[in-house]
Amino acid sequence: MSEQARQLCELKAEIFAAAGHPIRMAIIEFLRDGEKCVCQIAAYIGAERSNVSRHLAVMLQAGLVKHEKQGLKMIYSLTTPCILGFLECVTSVLRQRAEETRAVLENL
Amino acid sequence: MSEQARQLCELKAEIFAAAGHPIRMAIIEFLRDGEKCVCQIAAYIGAERSNVSRHLAVMLQAGLVKHEKQGLKMIYSLTTPCILGFLECVTSVLRQRAEETRAVLENL
DNA sequence: TTACTATATGAGTATATTGTAACATAATCA
DNA sequence: TGATTATGTTACAATATACTCATATAGTAA
């Protein structure tokens, strides 16, 4: 495995990890509706603003979201629409798992 | 935010997190070629077998891979092809980031 | 048995997450 | 103007989780 491939894996893993937390996943889902400020996100999720702000910083660093200041508020939005394609895939994985589980249960 | 939505976010996040580690990302890339045993994966990545085995267990739990015993060896393979669609999206995110960085540097 | 393969476990280290509080900035109001 | 409020980020400390390595265990094949 080449050093370059290793570094590429680190970058890709960083992006996945940036979505790999319940709160951050909830943020992504919430931002599907459109751009939101930190306080809206925190209210929706029911978490501390400081905590949400830190999670957003992780996502910003990974390139999952972008932000823009509007007066008092910092508005966050998703960067790339293909992130939503991610989610459909994940949902299909979950659906598949659910069906497998059901199949197992039916054979009891 | 409903309790059900919260649980769904946890499940989705678990899947992303299962891909959100350099070694696990390297495993996914390696398994694109087809099914492999633990020893092949460990050799390719250059990590301890026990460590690779543990990471595979994480991916198994999340449903990213499946495994099947063949004689001495445990053969792992990717479960859903759409995971590879993930990767193209991630690559596009990285490409976009790279171009933004280049644009910034050109304006120095 | 012996060699090989994979997983489980324990210990130590490192990283992530969280709440609280302090701070910075921008808008609002007296 | 100065004081106050709203919003977001950051620092600190505590806790929890993840990661890695070394070793032990278990199963399989020759």
Side-chain angles (χ1 to χ4, degrees), chain A residues 1 9, chain B residues 21-31 44-45:
Chain A
M1 194 182 179
C9 280
Chain B
H21 186 280
I23 287 183
R24 298 199 288 265
M25 181 57 56
I27 291 174
I28 292 174
E29 296 277 12
F30 190 46
L31 290 182
Y44 171 70
I45 293 177

Side-chain angles (χ1 to χ4, degrees), chain A residues 1-2 5-6 8-17 19-23 25-27 29 32 44-46 61-64 79-80 82-83 85-94 96-97, chain B residues 1-2 5-6 8-17 19-23 25-27 29 32 44-46 61-64 79-80 82-83 85-94 96-97:
Chain A
M1 194 182 179
S2 73
R6 207 175 298 274
L8 213 50
C9 280
E10 275 185 33
L11 286 172
K12 291 180 183 176
E14 186 192 8
I15 293 177
F16 277 88
H21 185 280
I23 288 183
M25 181 57 56
I27 291 174
E29 295 278 12
R32 290 174 76 161
Y44 171 70
I45 293 177
Q61 159 71 23
L64 252 50
T79 49
T80 43
C82 73
I83 289 172
F86 274 29
L87 287 181
E88 288 177 20
C89 171
V90 168
T91 303
S92 79
V93 171
L94 286 175
Q96 181 178 324
R97 268 168 54 182
Chain B
M1 192 180 180
S2 73
R6 207 175 299 274
L8 212 51
C9 279
E10 274 185 34
L11 286 172
K12 291 181 184 177
E14 186 191 8
I15 293 178
F16 277 88
H21 186 280
I23 287 183
M25 181 57 56
I27 291 174
E29 296 277 12
R32 291 176 75 163
Y44 171 70
I45 293 177
Q61 159 71 22
L64 251 50
T79 49
T80 42
C82 74
I83 289 172
F86 274 31
L87 287 179
E88 287 176 21
C89 171
V90 168
T91 303
S92 80
V93 171
L94 285 175
Q96 181 178 324
R97 266 168 55 180

Side-chain angles (χ1 to χ4, degrees), chain A residues 62-89:
Chain A
L64 252 50
V65 297
K66 59 180 187 289
H67 67 333
E68 179 194 2
K69 186 136 192 172
Q70 287 183 12
L72 268 184
K73 304 185 176 177
M74 189 67 84
I75 306 296
Y76 282 84
S77 56
L78 295 178
T79 49
T80 43
C82 73
I83 289 172
L84 301 178
F86 274 29
L87 287 181
E88 288 177 20
C89 171

Side-chain angles (χ1 to χ4, degrees), chain A residues 17-66:
Chain A
H21 185 280
I23 288 183
R24 297 199 286 266
M25 181 57 56
I27 291 174
I28 292 174
E29 295 278 12
F30 190 46
L31 290 182
R32 290 174 76 161
D33 295 342
E35 53 182 35
K36 309 279 182 189
C37 68
V38 178
C39 56
Q40 284 175 304
I41 297 169
Y44 171 70
I45 293 177
E48 291 291 330
R49 270 207 312 275
S50 66
N51 198 11
V52 169
S53 175
R54 273 179 302 219
H55 282 297
L56 285 166
V58 172
M59 299 168 75
L60 199 62
Q61 159 71 23
L64 252 50
V65 297
K66 59 180 187 289

